[in-house]
Amino acid sequence: MINVLEIAAPTLEWGLLSPLLVILGGACLGVLIEAVAPREMRYVLQSALAALAVVVAFGLTTLNWIQATPQLAAVDLLALDGPTYVFWALLLISGLAAVALFAERALGGGQSAFASSAATVPGSPLEREADALHREHTEIFPLLLFSLFGMMIFASANDSLTVFVAVEIFSLPLYLLTGMARRRRLLSQEAALKYFLLGSLASAIMLYGISLLYGFAGGFKFAAIDQAITAGAGSMPLLLTGMLLTSVGLLFKIGAVPFHIWTPDVYMGAPSPVTAFMAVATKTAAVAALLRVFYVALGGLQWNWQLLFAVVAVATMLLGSTMALAQNDIKRLLAYSAIAHAGFILVGVVGAVAAGEGVNLPSVAAIAFYLFTYGIATFGAFSVITMLRRAGGEANSLEAWKGLGRSNPVIATLMTLFMLSFAGIPLTAGFVGKLAVFESAWVGGYGWLVLVAVVMSVIAAFFYLKVVVAMWFQDADEESVGTVETPSLWTWSVLVVSAVATLVLGLIPGGVLTLLTDAAQFIR
Amino acid sequence: MNPEGYLVLSAILFAIGVAGFLLRRNAIIVFMSIELMLNATNLSFVAFANYHGNLDGLIAAFFVMVVAAAEVVVGLAIIVAVYRARRSASVDDANLMKF
């Protein structure tokens, strides 16, 4: 029998939820600007509003992080604890970098990376007309904020239904953004179609898993699922199938094998600023959600999922590293690199070292640090990618990078730095990140996995060095060489900040690691 | 109430959805298969809600419906854009990028 409904008005913790509300409010205001502001003012208004919303939300997040005690909020749907604040901060930093790259208009003849009118057919007279009128889509900024809002909910969700809704909130704007490239629009639309169909499939499978977990536990709250597992009642096949199907959706968003197929195509087809945002923020949010689902809700099944993730991690690292070797397009190469990085992150997840007394580096802190180092190097690399151009758009083929060290040593040096950080060479941030996740797995009792991961990172270093070799040791080919265009302050700031952060985190990572370690305790 | 029959039906519908996704070539039909999977999940939510005697699963079904509606808006926009550019909505024709 269903009980009689008693409705009590929910209380919301407005102060604690303020970062979310600022981002959502900024997005809604952006939609309003589209409706009322004259066309020529929209770009300035939208980019300023988006940047302001992200900065304010970041300030509020930091304030709450310092002041508030960890607690459940919004009728226990969100858990506002240390990891949530850490991942919110990471997401907002990548959101700000994405706003900067989205707002870049100095490259490619004073036009943004987005289609002048996405509704027109590629190559049609209407498209040429929109180009001639210098039309542009300023809706990209509200879409970015909506996506960021969904990711922040995703990272803090304490309820499996909220996880599903958050996935859709952040994915739907991304599907659209993927299809809006200015150049090579057929590729871009194809990427959007593939991303949309595969993404919806993964969400649907995850939803079925969530329904099975609900059937097992009788509730959506992570605490309820955890209690039901501890109590040992209920049907075990239901629980295990539910766990497997739920992990499908999360692993898809992370880009882990065997759910990685979309990654290269979508990374290649999407406009580079969107690719950078997707590569960093989607992965951060999805890893945060994965950690919470598996450490908090399914923590009682640790012995089951640790081995599963270990196998997935090995497959992911192997496939990402080897397939990247064969790539000749820099965005595709970075897509396979992103897959390999997902594998390294999963190595950290397998460790499952909980925070507590006497624990040097909890897994959550190690993974957050890894995501941070990966994120800054990714944004740096993609800002360089947007700058290297030739007639008709970006020069993404590796041929175009040959001889860059001689023609533009500054940019080549920065790109080399990011590649070395990806590869995990000492004195860069990536090295400390790799060390951190390996330590997590080692302490968690998965020594063999660490050994495999070390071998994989050597293989992965090859293809990063391939880019470095092309830039410094190969002669430029007249036909295919690209030229470095000078961007505006937006891209420059992203580039410089990522380069400095990559070096600083590589040389003195202690402060950030301590900060993350102190904030690694999940609440239930 | 024993939810078994409903769960089996929901699993069958879900499997038909997956099969449709994998086998059909028209993007619209592929997309319909995803909707079928979501609705199969709704059925299992409702069956479980009845079994557990709480409202959570029923409310979940509403959320899923809203999400499915939002997905239709975005999905059809993308499919229509692709169709207008290529005069084809077949997922086999979207093959500019491989490996």
Side-chain angles (χ1 to χ4, degrees), chain A residues 229-480:
Chain A
I229 293 174
T230 319
S235 144
M236 203 61 185
L238 210 56
L239 173 63
L240 288 177
T241 325
M243 181 193 86
L244 270 179
L245 294 181
T246 309
S247 72
V248 169
L250 295 164
L251 291 174
F252 175 88
K253 291 293 168 196
I254 291 170
V257 174
F259 313 109
H260 66 286
I261 312 281
W262 61 280
T263 319
D265 286 1
V266 174
Y267 279 32
M268 186 183 174
S272 296
V274 177
T275 311
F277 178 65
M278 228 165 17
V280 180
T282 304
K283 198 157 286 192
T284 308
V287 169
L290 180 90
L291 286 174
R292 201 180 287 280
V293 169
F294 281 89
Y295 284 15
V296 176
L298 302 172
L301 287 179
Q302 190 177 334
W303 308 115
N304 297 59
W305 56 252
Q306 262 182 323
L307 197 63
L308 173 77
F309 281 162
V311 173
V312 172
V314 170
T316 308
M317 288 185 293
L318 184 68
L319 194 127
S321 315
T322 46
M323 287 297 280
L325 281 171
Q327 301 305 320
N328 193 36
D329 181 290
I330 186 82
K331 279 166 86 176
R332 267 186 114 69
L333 189 144
L334 286 186
Y336 280 106
S337 131
I339 295 173
H341 282 290
F344 291 119
I345 291 169
L346 283 176
V347 169
V349 175
V350 168
V353 182
E357 287 296 311
V359 174
N360 195 14
L361 184 67
S363 294
V364 177
I367 292 161
F369 188 83
Y370 191 97
L371 282 165
F372 192 28
T373 62
Y374 163 76
I376 50 182
T378 304
F379 268 109
F382 274 99
S383 15
V384 177
I385 288 175
T386 59
M387 288 161 63
L388 189 74
R389 307 182 80 90
R390 52 192 297 194
E394 291 168 5
N396 286 342
S397 153
L398 268 186
E399 304 288 314
W401 293 74
K402 284 181 182 169
L404 193 67
R406 237 165 279 163
S407 60
N408 199 326
V410 179
I411 295 300
T413 310
L414 290 176
M415 191 66 177
T416 308
L417 175 67
F418 300 132
M419 289 298 136
L420 293 183
S421 182
F422 276 142
I425 307 292
L427 301 185
T428 60
F431 173 69
V432 188
K434 282 222 167 62
L435 212 58
V437 289
F438 291 172
E439 185 185 330
S440 157
W442 186 271
V443 175
Y446 275 78
W448 65 268
L449 187 60
V450 175
L451 291 180
V452 175
V454 169
V455 174
M456 293 300 172
S457 56
V458 173
I459 300 177
F462 270 112
F463 61 84
Y464 296 120
L465 291 178
K466 200 169 108 178
V467 181
V468 175
V469 166
M471 286 192 298
W472 294 100
F473 302 111
Q474 288 180 347
D475 288 328
D477 185 355
E478 286 301 319
E479 280 176 12
S480 56

